[in-house]
Amino acid sequence: MIPGPFLLYIGDKRNPLDIKTSRGLATFRRADCIGELREADNTLTLGLPSMTAEEAVAAGARSLVLGIATSGGRLEEAMIPHVLAALDAGLDIVSGLHQHLSTEPRIRERAEALGRRLIDVRAAPEGLKVGTGAARPGRRILTVGTDCAVGKMYTSIHLADALNARGVPARFRATGQTGVLIAGDGVVIDSVIADFIAGAAEALSPAREDGVWDVIEGQGSLFNPSFAGVSLGLLHGAQPQALVMCHDPSRPHMRGLPHMQVPGIAACIEENLRSARLTSPDAEFIGVSINGSLFDAAAAQDLRARITAETGLPCVDPLVTGMDAVIDRLIARFPA
């Protein structure tokens, strides 16, 4: 696990979805977050104190986390002065971007001169093998989505925590940079060469006979042409017995693709089952998880009821209803 405390970078980002890694750390490792670094005119906040790198070091921070999404996952020129200042102040740099920190000469040279660490979370582990699809023992849940960034990580973490609270042993298996930073281990699956995605999922949730549920964080969506490949690889490699569909009902179109409509939940369930059953013939859905944060309480409750009526599955909002309805179905369908 990358040790805190952290200074979380927001910079000039104004879309909440663009700071989801910083937000994830602020939510699930709050005690390790000292403050946030953002431009003076930026009102987007995680509710943490706004700090310079020097102030964060004085408060005990050890690392600056570049927990934002950028175009193409690249370092932006506006970020460089902040990163250099953080190195000068005594901070290591942690990045979830596709572009590795050491590929920027100014950052690499300053870090080397000062003896600071550059930590890239998006780095595939060595020695991965291609998937085989061979049946293996174990209990596995995979979250999938109607689109990317619809709450698969939040749902997975809340589900694993709720299972453990009910006395059903479970562990969260991270497949994204935010999840890996929160959990302290996992595989950032979009850093893996395509041929090895299924194999990486098999390695992440290997054969086990101890009754522990591996709750595997899904990525992308089979219906999003930008990310469907990683979604399919996870479905095949995870070999899940149980699946949870995640959905953002406020989304007008697929994220970043205004020409693509968000698929209906029923169609998405059908397609995910068809794909999952290549390696897990008896896979089934145990629930639907929505992000209803943009709806008032009554409208969100009505929406959950309609989804349950349409799918026959319990529909929850992890931050509002908790996960009990989904866990009840899981226990009923997969008794110990």
Side-chain angles (χ1 to χ4, degrees):
M1 179 176 288
I2 297 171
F6 304 124
L7 174 64
L8 302 180
Y9 183 82
I10 297 176
D12 59 0
K13 301 304 175 188
R14 288 170 168 77
N15 183 341
L17 288 178
D18 288 341
I19 62 168
K20 69 176 187 176
T21 295
S22 286
R23 186 176 300 282
L25 282 169
T27 299
F28 294 106
R29 289 186 66 179
R30 189 77 173 190
D32 289 325
C33 299
I34 291 286
E36 59 189 36
L37 176 60
R38 53 187 169 86
E39 302 293 352
D41 62 346
N42 189 1
T43 59
L44 185 62
T45 180
L46 298 167
L48 295 166
S50 179
M51 292 183 173
T52 65
E54 291 80 5
E55 290 169 339
V57 169
R62 298 173 64 182
S63 302
L64 172 68
V65 178
L66 304 180
I68 64 170
T70 64
S71 178
R74 308 290 298 174
L75 287 160
E76 296 175 336
E77 187 61 32
M79 301 168 64
I80 304 301
H82 292 296
V83 172
L84 296 178
L87 290 168
D88 289 340
L91 295 173
D92 295 330
I93 310 299
V94 180
S95 174
L97 296 172
H98 284 285
Q99 180 184 359
H100 285 188
L101 293 163
S102 61
T103 63
E104 166 50 57
R106 290 168 290 180
I107 293 175
R108 182 183 65 251
E109 292 167 6
R110 188 72 60 88
E112 290 174 350
L114 296 171
R116 309 277 184 256
R117 291 194 303 163
L118 301 178
I119 303 168
D120 293 293
V121 179
R122 262 192 171 110
E126 296 181 0
L128 290 175
K129 300 177 181 179
V130 297
T132 69
R136 64 187 188 274
R139 316 192 93 189
R140 293 175 295 278
I141 305 168
L142 175 67
T143 53
V144 296
T146 54
D147 194 9
C148 59
V150 291
K152 293 182 285 292
M153 184 197 74
Y154 272 66
T155 297
S156 300
I157 293 175
H158 280 283
L159 181 55
D161 287 347
L163 281 167
N164 284 310
R166 289 274 290 268
V168 181
R171 62 175 189 167
F172 168 61
R173 307 306 292 143
T175 63
Q177 71 274 14
T178 309
V180 168
L181 281 168
I182 293 167
D185 60 9
V187 177
V188 182
I189 209 75
D190 66 9
S191 69
V192 175
I193 294 172
D195 281 357
F196 297 91
I197 291 173
E202 290 179 358
L204 185 67
S205 55
R208 59 189 310 162
E209 299 186 16
D210 55 5
V212 176
W213 282 99
D214 276 338
V215 183
I216 304 160
E217 174 193 8
Q219 296 294 329
S221 168
L222 291 179
F223 286 78
N224 188 313
S226 301
F227 308 110
V230 71
S231 307
L232 185 62
L234 273 174
L235 274 165
H236 291 164
Q239 203 176 105
Q241 291 94 342
L243 299 110
V244 177
M245 178 61 64
C246 302
H247 177 61
D248 181 352
S250 67
R251 193 160 293 183
H253 52 73
M254 302 298 271
R255 189 183 179 209
L257 303 173
H259 57 287
M260 299 287 295
Q261 290 187 334
V262 177
I265 292 175
C268 207
I269 286 174
E270 179 182 1
E271 188 64 22
N272 276 272
L273 280 177
R274 188 180 70 82
S275 298
R277 285 174 176 166
L278 176 70
T279 58
S280 186
D282 298 321
E284 63 177 82
F285 274 87
I286 57 168
V288 178
S289 176
I290 68 165
N291 174 1
S293 59
L294 296 183
F295 295 80
D296 63 42
Q301 183 177 13
D302 179 65
L303 176 62
R304 293 193 299 271
R306 283 193 283 113
I307 291 173
T308 293
E310 292 168 3
T311 64
L313 297 168
C315 181
V316 299
D317 183 329
L319 300 182
V320 177
T321 68
M323 301 299 296
D324 281 345
V326 172
I327 293 174
D328 289 343
R329 185 176 180 93
L330 178 71
I331 293 172
R333 298 296 297 168
F334 302 93

